[in-house]
Amino acid sequence: MSSLISRRLIGGVFRFGHLRSLHSSSVWSGKVVQFKLSDIGEGIAEVQLKEWHVKTGDRVSQFDNLCDVQSDKASVTITSRYDGVIKRLYYKVDDVAPVGKALVDIELEGEGEDSAESADDDKSAQSAATDKSKKADGGKSSDEHETSSSFALHSGKVLATPAVRRIAMENKIKLGEVSGSGKNGRVMKEDVLRFLGHIGPAETTSKASDQPRPAFTPLSGQDKTIPIRGYTRIMMKTMTQANTIPHFGYNDEVVVNRLIDLRAQLKKLASEKGTKMSYMPLFIKAASLALTQYPVLNASLDSSLENITYKSAHNICVAMDTPGGLVVPNIKHCEQRNLWEIALELNRLQEAGKRQQLDRNDLADGTFTLSNIGAIGGTYASPVIFPPQVAIGALGKIEVHPRYDNHMQIYPAHIVKVSWAADHRVIDGATMARFSNLWKEYLENPALMIAEMR
Ligand code: COA
Protein backbone atom coordinates (compact mmCIF):
# COMPACT_ATOMS: atom_id res chain seq x y z
CA MET A 1 0.00 0.00 0.00
CA SER A 2 2.63 2.48 1.06
CA SER A 3 4.70 1.79 -2.02
CA LEU A 4 1.69 2.45 -4.21
CA ILE A 5 1.05 5.72 -2.46
CA SER A 6 4.68 6.69 -2.76
CA ARG A 7 4.66 5.89 -6.40
CA ARG A 8 1.64 8.01 -7.00
CA LEU A 9 3.05 10.91 -5.04
CA ILE A 10 6.53 10.82 -6.40
CA GLY A 11 5.85 9.17 -9.72
CA GLY A 12 9.32 7.67 -10.08
CA VAL A 13 10.81 11.08 -10.30
CA PHE A 14 14.40 10.13 -9.68
CA ARG A 15 16.29 6.97 -10.47
CA PHE A 16 19.63 5.72 -9.39
CA GLY A 17 22.38 6.24 -11.84
CA HIS A 18 24.86 3.75 -13.06
CA LEU A 19 27.31 1.64 -11.08
CA ARG A 20 30.94 2.37 -11.74
CA SER A 21 33.94 0.15 -11.23
CA LEU A 22 35.65 2.65 -8.98
CA HIS A 23 37.73 1.52 -6.03
CA SER A 24 38.44 3.19 -2.78
CA SER A 25 40.74 2.89 0.17
CA SER A 26 37.89 2.83 2.68
CA VAL A 27 37.40 -0.15 4.95
CA TRP A 28 34.72 -1.50 2.66
CA SER A 29 36.97 -1.56 -0.39
CA GLY A 30 33.76 -1.80 -2.35
CA LYS A 31 32.18 -0.66 -5.53
CA VAL A 32 31.08 2.94 -5.79
CA VAL A 33 27.47 3.64 -6.72
CA GLN A 34 26.79 6.94 -8.34
CA PHE A 35 23.30 8.41 -8.00
CA LYS A 36 22.16 10.55 -10.85
CA LEU A 37 19.07 12.65 -11.20
CA SER A 38 17.58 11.09 -14.27
CA ASP A 39 14.50 12.07 -16.24
CA ILE A 40 12.05 13.68 -13.84
CA GLY A 41 9.34 14.21 -16.42
CA GLU A 42 6.91 17.11 -16.73
CA GLY A 43 9.66 19.25 -18.15
CA ILE A 44 11.56 19.49 -14.86
CA ALA A 45 15.20 20.14 -15.64
CA GLU A 46 16.65 20.78 -12.21
CA VAL A 47 16.15 20.62 -8.46
CA GLN A 48 17.49 22.77 -5.68
CA LEU A 49 19.54 21.08 -2.99
CA LYS A 50 17.86 22.15 0.25
CA GLU A 51 19.81 20.25 2.89
CA TRP A 52 22.32 17.46 3.22
CA HIS A 53 21.71 14.95 5.99
CA VAL A 54 25.10 13.31 5.43
CA LYS A 55 28.70 14.32 4.82
CA THR A 56 31.63 12.62 3.13
CA GLY A 57 32.85 9.66 5.19
CA ASP A 58 29.49 9.04 6.89
CA ARG A 59 28.28 5.49 6.94
CA VAL A 60 24.71 5.13 5.76
CA SER A 61 22.21 2.31 5.85
CA GLN A 62 19.29 1.68 3.55
CA PHE A 63 16.47 4.20 4.05
CA ASP A 64 18.71 6.72 5.81
CA ASN A 65 17.99 10.26 4.67
CA LEU A 66 20.61 11.63 2.31
CA CYS A 67 19.29 15.04 1.40
CA ASP A 68 16.20 17.17 0.81
CA VAL A 69 15.63 18.60 -2.63
CA GLN A 70 13.02 20.94 -4.02
CA SER A 71 11.86 20.43 -7.57
CA ASP A 72 9.53 22.69 -9.51
CA LYS A 73 6.78 20.39 -8.39
CA ALA A 74 7.51 19.11 -4.91
CA SER A 75 9.86 18.81 -1.96
CA VAL A 76 11.30 15.34 -1.50
CA THR A 77 13.74 13.67 0.80
CA ILE A 78 16.11 11.34 -0.96
CA THR A 79 16.94 8.25 1.06
CA SER A 80 19.68 5.73 0.64
CA ARG A 81 19.00 2.42 -0.93
CA TYR A 82 22.33 0.98 0.05
CA ASP A 83 24.49 0.29 3.07
CA GLY A 84 27.83 1.95 2.57
CA VAL A 85 30.03 5.00 2.99
CA ILE A 86 29.46 8.40 1.45
CA LYS A 87 32.37 9.12 -0.86
CA ARG A 88 31.33 12.30 -2.53
CA LEU A 89 28.61 14.96 -2.41
CA TYR A 90 28.33 16.71 -5.73
CA TYR A 91 26.50 19.84 -4.58
CA LYS A 92 26.46 22.40 -1.82
CA VAL A 93 23.25 23.52 -0.12
CA ASP A 94 21.26 25.89 -2.37
CA ASP A 95 23.04 24.64 -5.49
CA VAL A 96 20.86 23.70 -8.41
CA ALA A 97 21.34 20.07 -9.43
CA PRO A 98 20.54 19.47 -13.09
CA VAL A 99 18.73 16.37 -14.19
CA GLY A 100 21.07 13.73 -15.56
CA LYS A 101 23.99 14.67 -13.34
CA ALA A 102 25.41 12.76 -10.37
CA LEU A 103 24.15 13.68 -6.91
CA VAL A 104 26.18 11.48 -4.54
CA ASP A 105 28.62 8.55 -4.61
CA ILE A 106 28.30 5.71 -2.10
CA GLU A 107 30.89 3.00 -1.62
CA LEU A 108 28.92 -0.16 -1.08
CA GLU A 109 29.37 -2.15 2.08
CA GLY A 110 30.50 -5.73 1.56
CA GLU A 111 30.66 -5.42 -2.22
CA GLY A 112 34.20 -6.28 -3.12
CA GLU A 113 35.68 -6.44 -6.56
CA ASP A 114 34.60 -10.06 -6.90
CA SER A 115 30.96 -9.28 -6.61
CA ALA A 116 31.10 -6.10 -8.64
CA GLU A 117 30.19 -6.24 -12.26
CA SER A 118 31.91 -3.78 -14.47
CA ALA A 119 28.95 -1.71 -15.45
CA ASP A 120 29.96 1.48 -17.07
CA ASP A 121 26.92 1.64 -19.27
CA ASP A 122 23.70 2.82 -17.76
CA LYS A 123 21.69 -0.13 -18.91
CA SER A 124 23.58 -2.96 -17.27
CA ALA A 125 24.15 -0.95 -14.15
CA GLN A 126 20.50 -0.13 -13.85
CA SER A 127 19.60 -3.79 -13.97
CA ALA A 128 22.26 -4.60 -11.39
CA ALA A 129 20.67 -2.14 -9.03
CA THR A 130 17.26 -3.52 -9.85
CA ASP A 131 18.30 -7.09 -9.08
CA LYS A 132 19.57 -5.99 -5.72
CA SER A 133 16.37 -4.11 -4.99
CA LYS A 134 14.22 -7.06 -5.98
CA LYS A 135 16.07 -9.23 -3.52
CA ALA A 136 15.72 -6.65 -0.81
CA ASP A 137 11.98 -6.26 -1.09
CA GLY A 138 10.81 -9.64 -2.13
CA GLY A 139 10.64 -9.15 -5.86
CA LYS A 140 8.76 -5.91 -6.37
CA SER A 141 9.12 -4.27 -9.71
CA SER A 142 12.08 -1.96 -9.98
CA ASP A 143 9.71 0.92 -10.50
CA GLU A 144 7.92 0.18 -7.27
CA HIS A 145 11.15 -0.30 -5.45
CA GLU A 146 12.72 2.88 -6.66
CA THR A 147 9.82 5.04 -5.79
CA SER A 148 9.09 3.45 -2.45
CA SER A 149 12.60 3.16 -1.12
CA SER A 150 14.39 6.07 -2.63
CA PHE A 151 12.07 8.84 -1.63
CA ALA A 152 9.91 10.03 1.17
CA LEU A 153 7.93 13.22 1.27
CA HIS A 154 9.66 16.12 2.97
CA SER A 155 9.46 15.62 6.69
CA GLY A 156 8.41 19.22 7.27
CA LYS A 157 11.12 19.80 9.85
CA VAL A 158 12.75 23.12 10.48
CA LEU A 159 15.28 24.14 7.85
CA ALA A 160 18.76 24.47 9.35
CA THR A 161 22.27 23.24 8.65
CA PRO A 162 23.76 20.43 10.75
CA ALA A 163 26.03 22.97 12.43
CA VAL A 164 23.07 25.08 13.54
CA ARG A 165 21.25 21.96 14.71
CA ARG A 166 24.26 21.05 16.80
CA ILE A 167 24.36 24.47 18.48
CA ALA A 168 20.63 24.16 19.20
CA MET A 169 21.08 20.65 20.61
CA GLU A 170 24.04 21.62 22.77
CA ASN A 171 22.01 24.46 24.23
CA LYS A 172 18.89 22.29 24.61
CA ILE A 173 16.63 24.53 22.55
CA LYS A 174 14.01 23.47 20.05
CA LEU A 175 14.70 24.81 16.59
CA GLY A 176 10.96 25.05 15.94
CA GLU A 177 10.78 27.82 18.55
CA VAL A 178 13.44 29.90 16.83
CA SER A 179 12.26 32.31 14.18
CA GLY A 180 14.35 31.74 11.05
CA SER A 181 15.58 34.74 9.11
CA GLY A 182 17.03 32.75 6.20
CA LYS A 183 15.53 31.79 2.87
CA ASN A 184 12.22 29.94 3.31
CA GLY A 185 12.45 30.48 7.07
CA ARG A 186 15.77 28.65 7.40
CA VAL A 187 17.13 29.03 10.93
CA MET A 188 20.56 30.65 10.76
CA LYS A 189 23.33 30.56 13.35
CA GLU A 190 22.64 34.21 14.26
CA ASP A 191 18.96 33.35 14.89
CA VAL A 192 19.96 30.71 17.43
CA LEU A 193 22.53 33.00 19.07
CA ARG A 194 19.97 35.78 19.22
CA PHE A 195 17.43 33.36 20.72
CA LEU A 196 19.99 32.45 23.38
CA GLY A 197 20.63 36.11 24.08
CA HIS A 198 24.25 35.87 22.98
CA ILE A 199 23.78 38.64 20.46
CA GLY A 200 21.37 41.51 20.44
CA PRO A 201 18.94 42.58 17.74
CA ALA A 202 20.43 43.92 14.51
CA GLU A 203 22.33 46.97 15.52
CA THR A 204 21.98 50.43 14.05
CA THR A 205 24.71 52.99 14.06
CA SER A 206 24.52 56.68 13.72
CA LYS A 207 27.22 59.28 13.42
CA ALA A 208 26.98 62.62 15.12
CA SER A 209 28.11 65.39 12.92
CA ASP A 210 28.39 69.13 13.39
CA GLN A 211 27.64 69.68 9.76
CA PRO A 212 23.98 68.96 9.00
CA ARG A 213 24.06 66.69 5.99
CA PRO A 214 22.07 63.66 4.97
CA ALA A 215 23.84 60.61 6.40
CA PHE A 216 22.23 57.29 5.57
CA THR A 217 23.76 54.27 7.19
CA PRO A 218 22.62 50.74 6.52
CA LEU A 219 20.23 49.45 9.19
CA SER A 220 21.39 45.89 8.95
CA GLY A 221 24.64 44.92 7.35
CA GLN A 222 25.46 45.02 3.67
CA ASP A 223 23.55 44.41 0.47
CA LYS A 224 23.37 40.77 -0.36
CA THR A 225 22.59 38.95 -3.56
CA ILE A 226 20.97 35.56 -3.22
CA PRO A 227 19.94 33.05 -5.88
CA ILE A 228 16.22 32.76 -6.62
CA ARG A 229 15.12 29.36 -5.40
CA GLY A 230 12.13 27.25 -4.35
CA TYR A 231 8.55 28.38 -4.96
CA THR A 232 9.84 31.84 -5.93
CA ARG A 233 11.88 30.28 -8.72
CA ILE A 234 8.74 28.58 -10.04
CA MET A 235 6.86 31.89 -9.79
CA MET A 236 9.63 33.64 -11.70
CA LYS A 237 9.48 31.16 -14.56
CA THR A 238 5.67 30.98 -14.76
CA MET A 239 5.16 34.71 -14.58
CA THR A 240 7.82 35.37 -17.20
CA GLN A 241 5.79 33.08 -19.46
CA ALA A 242 2.57 34.84 -18.45
CA ASN A 243 4.04 38.15 -19.53
CA THR A 244 3.49 37.13 -23.15
CA ILE A 245 -0.28 36.92 -22.63
CA PRO A 246 -2.43 39.96 -23.48
CA HIS A 247 -4.54 40.30 -20.34
CA PHE A 248 -8.09 41.57 -20.36
CA GLY A 249 -9.30 42.83 -16.97
CA TYR A 250 -12.85 42.93 -15.63
CA ASN A 251 -13.94 43.96 -12.12
CA ASP A 252 -17.19 43.78 -10.20
CA GLU A 253 -18.56 43.71 -6.69
CA VAL A 254 -20.66 40.96 -5.15
CA VAL A 255 -23.03 41.40 -2.20
CA VAL A 256 -22.49 38.39 0.02
CA ASN A 257 -24.93 38.97 2.90
CA ARG A 258 -26.77 35.70 2.24
CA LEU A 259 -23.52 33.87 1.65
CA ILE A 260 -22.29 35.04 5.06
CA ASP A 261 -25.39 33.53 6.70
CA LEU A 262 -24.88 30.26 4.86
CA ARG A 263 -21.18 30.15 5.74
CA ALA A 264 -21.97 30.79 9.41
CA GLN A 265 -24.25 27.73 9.45
CA LEU A 266 -21.75 25.55 7.65
CA LYS A 267 -18.91 26.75 9.84
CA LYS A 268 -20.72 25.43 12.93
CA LEU A 269 -21.02 22.00 11.31
CA ALA A 270 -17.53 21.96 9.88
CA SER A 271 -15.73 20.57 12.90
CA GLU A 272 -18.07 17.55 12.89
CA LYS A 273 -16.93 16.97 9.33
CA GLY A 274 -13.31 17.25 10.39
CA THR A 275 -12.63 20.39 8.40
CA LYS A 276 -13.07 24.17 8.44
CA MET A 277 -15.38 26.08 6.16
CA SER A 278 -14.11 29.44 4.97
CA TYR A 279 -15.62 31.37 2.04
CA MET A 280 -13.23 29.81 -0.44
CA PRO A 281 -15.12 26.52 -0.98
CA LEU A 282 -18.22 28.59 -1.82
CA PHE A 283 -16.30 30.84 -4.24
CA ILE A 284 -14.73 27.76 -5.82
CA LYS A 285 -17.98 25.81 -6.19
CA ALA A 286 -19.75 28.84 -7.67
CA ALA A 287 -16.88 29.18 -10.16
CA SER A 288 -17.15 25.52 -11.12
CA LEU A 289 -20.91 25.81 -11.69
CA ALA A 290 -20.39 28.91 -13.83
CA LEU A 291 -17.56 27.22 -15.77
CA THR A 292 -19.99 24.47 -16.72
CA GLN A 293 -21.86 27.11 -18.71
CA TYR A 294 -18.75 28.94 -19.95
CA PRO A 295 -16.29 26.10 -20.62
CA VAL A 296 -14.02 28.28 -22.74
CA LEU A 297 -12.76 29.78 -19.49
CA ASN A 298 -11.73 26.34 -18.24
CA ALA A 299 -9.40 25.73 -21.13
CA SER A 300 -5.78 25.79 -22.16
CA LEU A 301 -4.04 27.27 -25.15
CA ASP A 302 -1.29 25.28 -26.81
CA SER A 303 2.14 26.82 -27.24
CA SER A 304 1.78 27.02 -31.02
CA LEU A 305 -1.36 29.14 -30.52
CA GLU A 306 -3.16 26.85 -32.94
CA ASN A 307 -5.56 25.02 -30.61
CA ILE A 308 -7.58 25.57 -27.51
CA THR A 309 -8.46 22.56 -25.37
CA TYR A 310 -11.65 22.67 -23.32
CA LYS A 311 -10.85 20.75 -20.15
CA SER A 312 -13.47 18.34 -18.88
CA ALA A 313 -12.22 18.48 -15.29
CA HIS A 314 -12.55 21.62 -13.20
CA ASN A 315 -9.18 21.46 -11.44
CA ILE A 316 -9.41 24.79 -9.70
CA CYS A 317 -6.11 26.28 -8.57
CA VAL A 318 -5.91 28.29 -5.38
CA ALA A 319 -3.10 30.81 -4.98
CA MET A 320 -1.54 30.24 -1.56
CA ASP A 321 0.68 32.40 0.50
CA THR A 322 3.12 30.05 2.27
CA PRO A 323 6.34 30.48 4.26
CA GLY A 324 8.14 29.41 1.06
CA GLY A 325 6.37 32.02 -1.09
CA LEU A 326 3.45 31.89 -3.51
CA VAL A 327 2.39 28.42 -4.64
CA VAL A 328 -0.66 27.43 -6.67
CA PRO A 329 -1.97 23.90 -6.03
CA ASN A 330 -5.31 22.80 -7.42
CA ILE A 331 -8.40 20.99 -6.19
CA LYS A 332 -9.13 18.25 -8.68
CA HIS A 333 -12.61 17.72 -10.11
CA CYS A 334 -14.46 20.50 -8.33
CA GLU A 335 -17.36 19.78 -10.69
CA GLN A 336 -17.82 16.44 -8.90
CA ARG A 337 -17.15 17.54 -5.32
CA ASN A 338 -19.62 18.96 -2.83
CA LEU A 339 -18.75 21.86 -0.54
CA TRP A 340 -17.45 19.63 2.26
CA GLU A 341 -15.21 17.74 -0.14
CA ILE A 342 -13.84 20.97 -1.57
CA ALA A 343 -13.25 22.32 1.96
CA LEU A 344 -11.45 19.14 3.04
CA GLU A 345 -9.17 19.22 0.03
CA LEU A 346 -8.49 22.94 0.41
CA ASN A 347 -7.55 22.41 4.05
CA ARG A 348 -5.24 19.55 3.12
CA LEU A 349 -3.50 21.65 0.48
CA GLN A 350 -3.25 24.63 2.81
CA GLU A 351 -1.61 22.53 5.53
CA ALA A 352 0.76 20.88 3.03
CA GLY A 353 1.60 24.30 1.57
CA LYS A 354 2.48 25.65 5.02
CA ARG A 355 4.94 22.80 5.49
CA GLN A 356 6.11 23.01 1.85
CA GLN A 357 5.03 19.42 1.43
CA LEU A 358 2.81 19.76 -1.61
CA ASP A 359 3.44 16.95 -4.02
CA ARG A 360 3.66 17.41 -7.74
CA ASN A 361 0.22 15.97 -8.42
CA ASP A 362 -1.20 18.79 -6.28
CA LEU A 363 0.54 21.30 -8.52
CA ALA A 364 -0.12 19.68 -11.90
CA ASP A 365 -3.01 19.98 -14.35
CA GLY A 366 -4.80 23.04 -12.97
CA THR A 367 -7.43 24.47 -15.31
CA PHE A 368 -8.61 27.75 -13.72
CA THR A 369 -7.35 29.86 -10.82
CA LEU A 370 -8.78 31.83 -7.91
CA SER A 371 -6.61 34.00 -5.71
CA ASN A 372 -8.07 35.09 -2.37
CA ILE A 373 -5.78 38.01 -1.71
CA GLY A 374 -8.55 39.37 0.53
CA ALA A 375 -7.46 36.86 3.16
CA ILE A 376 -4.56 39.28 3.62
CA GLY A 377 -6.27 42.52 2.63
CA GLY A 378 -7.15 44.81 -0.25
CA THR A 379 -10.11 45.30 -2.51
CA TYR A 380 -9.14 45.03 -6.18
CA ALA A 381 -6.10 43.34 -7.68
CA SER A 382 -4.67 42.76 -11.14
CA PRO A 383 -4.19 39.01 -11.24
CA VAL A 384 -1.81 37.43 -13.72
CA ILE A 385 -2.91 34.36 -15.67
CA PHE A 386 -1.27 31.06 -14.78
CA PRO A 387 -0.32 29.64 -18.21
CA PRO A 388 -1.46 27.59 -20.09
CA GLN A 389 -4.77 28.51 -18.41
CA VAL A 390 -6.83 31.34 -19.85
CA ALA A 391 -8.51 32.97 -16.85
CA ILE A 392 -7.96 33.89 -13.21
CA GLY A 393 -9.97 35.70 -10.54
CA ALA A 394 -8.73 37.63 -7.51
CA LEU A 395 -10.97 38.25 -4.50
CA GLY A 396 -10.70 41.19 -2.17
CA LYS A 397 -11.55 41.38 1.50
CA ILE A 398 -15.25 41.21 2.43
CA GLU A 399 -16.18 44.63 3.76
CA VAL A 400 -19.38 46.39 4.79
CA HIS A 401 -20.49 49.33 2.64
CA PRO A 402 -23.75 51.27 2.44
CA ARG A 403 -25.84 50.30 -0.58
CA TYR A 404 -29.40 50.89 -1.79
CA ASP A 405 -31.92 48.07 -1.81
CA ASN A 406 -34.79 47.75 -4.34
CA HIS A 407 -36.84 50.26 -2.35
CA MET A 408 -34.02 52.80 -2.37
CA GLN A 409 -33.36 52.20 1.32
CA ILE A 410 -29.77 52.20 2.46
CA TYR A 411 -28.67 48.96 4.06
CA PRO A 412 -25.28 47.54 5.20
CA ALA A 413 -24.04 45.41 2.32
CA HIS A 414 -21.22 42.93 2.83
CA ILE A 415 -19.27 43.23 -0.38
CA VAL A 416 -16.44 41.31 -1.94
CA LYS A 417 -14.75 42.80 -4.98
CA VAL A 418 -13.61 40.49 -7.71
CA SER A 419 -10.97 41.18 -10.37
CA TRP A 420 -10.88 38.85 -13.34
CA ALA A 421 -8.17 38.56 -15.96
CA ALA A 422 -8.58 36.58 -19.17
CA ASP A 423 -6.37 35.78 -22.12
CA HIS A 424 -7.68 38.24 -24.69
CA ARG A 425 -6.37 36.15 -27.58
CA VAL A 426 -9.14 33.63 -26.97
CA ILE A 427 -11.55 35.20 -24.46
CA ASP A 428 -13.59 38.27 -25.26
CA GLY A 429 -14.88 40.75 -22.73
CA ALA A 430 -18.54 39.78 -23.14
CA THR A 431 -17.82 36.14 -22.25
CA MET A 432 -15.84 37.17 -19.20
CA ALA A 433 -18.65 39.52 -18.08
CA ARG A 434 -21.36 36.87 -18.57
CA PHE A 435 -19.36 34.31 -16.64
CA SER A 436 -18.77 36.82 -13.85
CA ASN A 437 -22.48 37.69 -13.71
CA LEU A 438 -23.42 34.05 -13.30
CA TRP A 439 -20.76 33.46 -10.63
CA LYS A 440 -22.02 36.55 -8.82
CA GLU A 441 -25.62 35.34 -9.03
CA TYR A 442 -24.69 32.06 -7.34
CA LEU A 443 -22.95 33.90 -4.53
CA GLU A 444 -25.64 36.53 -4.04
CA ASN A 445 -28.34 33.83 -4.09
CA PRO A 446 -26.67 30.74 -2.63
CA ALA A 447 -29.98 28.85 -2.77
CA LEU A 448 -29.60 28.89 -6.54
CA MET A 449 -26.09 27.50 -6.24
CA ILE A 450 -27.23 24.71 -3.94
CA ALA A 451 -30.10 23.88 -6.29
CA GLU A 452 -27.65 23.29 -9.11
CA MET A 453 -25.22 21.12 -7.17
CA ARG A 454 -25.15 17.44 -8.01
N1 COA B 1 -12.71 38.38 3.23
C1 COA B 1 -13.06 38.22 4.51
N2 COA B 1 -12.63 37.17 5.26
C2 COA B 1 -11.84 36.28 4.71
C3 COA B 1 -11.42 36.39 3.37
C4 COA B 1 -11.89 37.48 2.61
N3 COA B 1 -11.57 37.64 1.34
N4 COA B 1 -10.61 35.37 3.11
C5 COA B 1 -10.51 34.65 4.20
N5 COA B 1 -11.26 35.18 5.16
C6 COA B 1 -11.45 34.65 6.50
C7 COA B 1 -11.82 33.19 6.44
O1 COA B 1 -13.21 33.01 6.23
C8 COA B 1 -11.34 32.71 7.77
O2 COA B 1 -12.25 33.11 8.75
P1 COA B 1 -12.76 32.10 9.92
O3 COA B 1 -11.56 31.91 10.78
O4 COA B 1 -13.89 32.79 10.55
O5 COA B 1 -13.15 30.83 9.24
C9 COA B 1 -10.07 33.50 7.99
O6 COA B 1 -10.19 34.67 7.17
C10 COA B 1 -8.81 32.75 7.61
O7 COA B 1 -8.99 32.22 6.32
P2 COA B 1 -7.82 31.39 5.59
O8 COA B 1 -7.19 30.44 6.55
O9 COA B 1 -6.90 32.29 4.90
O10 COA B 1 -8.63 30.45 4.58
P3 COA B 1 -9.26 30.74 3.16
O11 COA B 1 -9.86 29.43 2.77
O12 COA B 1 -10.17 31.88 3.16
O13 COA B 1 -8.02 31.05 2.22
C11 COA B 1 -5.92 30.69 1.16
C12 COA B 1 -7.05 30.08 2.00
C13 COA B 1 -4.87 29.62 1.00
C14 COA B 1 -6.48 31.09 -0.18
C15 COA B 1 -5.35 31.94 1.85
O14 COA B 1 -4.93 31.60 3.15
C16 COA B 1 -4.20 32.57 1.13
O15 COA B 1 -3.07 32.10 1.14
N6 COA B 1 -4.47 33.74 0.50
C17 COA B 1 -3.44 34.53 -0.15
C18 COA B 1 -3.44 34.29 -1.64
C19 COA B 1 -2.40 35.14 -2.31
O16 COA B 1 -1.32 35.36 -1.79
N7 COA B 1 -2.75 35.64 -3.49
C20 COA B 1 -1.88 36.50 -4.21
C21 COA B 1 -1.28 35.79 -5.36
S1 COA B 1 -0.18 36.85 -6.24
Side-chain angles (χ1 to χ4, degrees):
M1 178 70 178
S2 65
S3 71
L4 287 175
I5 291 170
S6 297
R7 181 160 52 164
R8 222 174 326 122
L9 292 175
I10 310 296
V13 169
F14 303 97
R15 296 200 310 260
F16 280 86
H18 66 270
L19 304 178
R20 292 188 301 166
S21 306
L22 296 181
H23 304 287
S24 141
S25 59
S26 88
V27 289
W28 311 116
S29 299
K31 189 169 52 181
V32 172
V33 186
Q34 185 185 68
F35 289 58
K36 275 184 186 173
L37 295 178
S38 31
D39 183 19
I40 296 176
E42 299 199 22
I44 297 170
E46 62 192 23
V47 296
Q48 182 191 354
L49 203 303
K50 301 291 286 183
E51 182 175 4
W52 282 111
H53 299 295
V54 292
K55 57 184 183 315
T56 308
D58 279 358
R59 188 183 170 199
V60 289
S61 303
Q62 289 185 51
F63 306 110
D64 280 356
N65 290 351
L66 295 179
C67 62
D68 294 343
V69 299
Q70 171 87 51
S71 81
D72 276 13
K73 310 287 179 186
S75 292
V76 291
T77 299
I78 300 184
T79 62
S80 178
R81 189 160 144 201
Y82 294 107
D83 299 333
V85 175
I86 300 293
K87 300 307 290 180
R88 181 174 174 189
L89 309 180
Y90 284 80
Y91 299 98
K92 296 195 293 294
V93 167
D94 283 342
D95 278 357
V96 170
V99 167
K101 300 291 179 194
L103 187 66
V104 63
D105 286 350
I106 298 180
E107 185 178 35
L108 300 186
E109 179 178 359
E111 293 246 4
E113 254 179 288
D114 296 348
S115 64
E117 289 173 36
S118 176
D120 274 340
D121 66 291
D122 272 358
K123 207 171 167 196
S124 57
Q126 194 72 45
S127 63
T130 304
D131 287 350
K132 185 178 165 101
S133 70
K134 277 189 179 163
K135 260 184 244 160
D137 66 4
K140 284 183 201 168
S141 75
S142 59
D143 189 28
E144 268 179 299
H145 183 91
E146 281 171 2
T147 53
S148 62
S149 64
S150 303
F151 302 98
L153 280 177
H154 193 287
S155 62
K157 68 185 171 203
V158 179
L159 289 174
T161 61
V164 171
R165 288 183 195 288
R166 198 174 53 249
I167 299 173
M169 201 177 67
E170 283 167 5
N171 288 281
K172 297 188 174 46
I173 62 171
K174 288 183 185 158
L175 274 180
E177 291 170 4
V178 181
S179 154
S181 63
K183 176 79 181 162
N184 296 341
R186 178 180 290 276
V187 176
M188 313 299 283
K189 186 177 164 192
E190 308 81 79
D191 298 328
V192 175
L193 296 179
R194 191 165 291 122
F195 187 88
L196 290 166
H198 293 181
I199 58 172
E203 287 171 11
T204 61
T205 54
S206 62
K207 276 186 186 170
S209 170
D210 293 340
Q211 299 297 321
R213 57 180 176 168
F216 301 105
T217 51
L219 289 177
S220 56
Q222 296 169 335
D223 296 351
K224 69 178 176 186
T225 302
I226 52 165
I228 300 167
R229 297 285 189 260
Y231 289 156
T232 308
R233 192 175 177 86
I234 306 171
M235 180 171 74
M236 195 253 303
K237 288 181 178 173
T238 321
M239 291 298 105
T240 303
Q241 209 184 333
N243 204 28
T244 62
I245 301 173
H247 282 59
F248 166 82
Y250 179 85
N251 304 331
D252 202 357
E253 62 176 45
V254 183
V255 177
V256 290
N257 289 22
R258 288 183 187 141
L259 195 79
I260 286 176
D261 292 344
L262 173 64
R263 206 284 291 218
Q265 291 173 43
L266 296 178
K267 191 180 166 182
K268 279 191 199 142
L269 300 171
S271 56
E272 287 171 24
K273 299 274 181 186
T275 187
K276 61 170 197 162
M277 180 63 74
S278 64
Y279 295 101
M280 272 312 267
L282 296 148
F283 294 146
I284 291 168
K285 190 66 197 180
S288 175
L289 290 171
L291 286 172
T292 305
Q293 298 202 30
Y294 295 94
V296 70
L297 290 165
N298 190 62
S300 71
L301 193 57
D302 70 17
S303 53
S304 65
L305 308 182
E306 293 288 339
N307 304 294
I308 180 163
T309 304
Y310 288 58
K311 299 286 190 176
S312 56
H314 295 173
N315 296 342
I316 298 189
C317 295
V318 179
M320 278 184 187
D321 175 44
T322 75
L326 172 70
V327 65
V328 193
N330 63 80
I331 300 172
K332 302 274 187 293
H333 288 289
C334 291
E335 81 283 4
Q336 292 173 34
R337 291 184 196 250
N338 64 28
L339 288 170
W340 296 121
E341 289 164 342
I342 291 176
L344 271 170
E345 184 62 353
L346 176 63
N347 290 176
R348 181 187 73 78
L349 294 172
Q350 201 173 353
E351 289 308 312
K354 275 185 202 158
R355 297 190 305 271
Q356 296 180 62
Q357 285 185 334
L358 289 162
D359 75 66
R360 62 187 186 134
N361 187 46
D362 293 331
L363 301 172
D365 303 326
T367 59
F368 180 89
T369 300
L370 286 179
S371 172
N372 180 16
I373 191 68
I376 301 169
T379 48
Y380 288 112
S382 299
V384 180
I385 293 165
F386 187 25
Q389 296 169 30
V390 296
I392 183 172
L395 307 155
K397 190 175 171 57
I398 299 172
E399 288 170 332
V400 187
H401 294 286
R403 289 291 183 270
Y404 290 105
D405 65 16
N406 293 340
H407 308 288
M408 295 307 284
Q409 299 297 309
I410 290 181
Y411 75 103
H414 292 259
I415 286 174
V416 63
K417 310 265 174 56
V418 61
S419 311
W420 300 107
D423 185 336
H424 213 344
R425 295 171 300 188
V426 285
I427 310 293
D428 55 41
T431 305
M432 190 74 247
R434 288 192 185 104
F435 165 84
S436 180
N437 287 345
L438 182 56
W439 180 77
K440 172 174 163 158
E441 202 177 337
Y442 287 134
L443 296 173
E444 293 195 338
N445 304 293
L448 183 61
M449 171 161 67
I450 288 163
E452 295 203 9
M453 284 183 194
R454 289 179 198 283

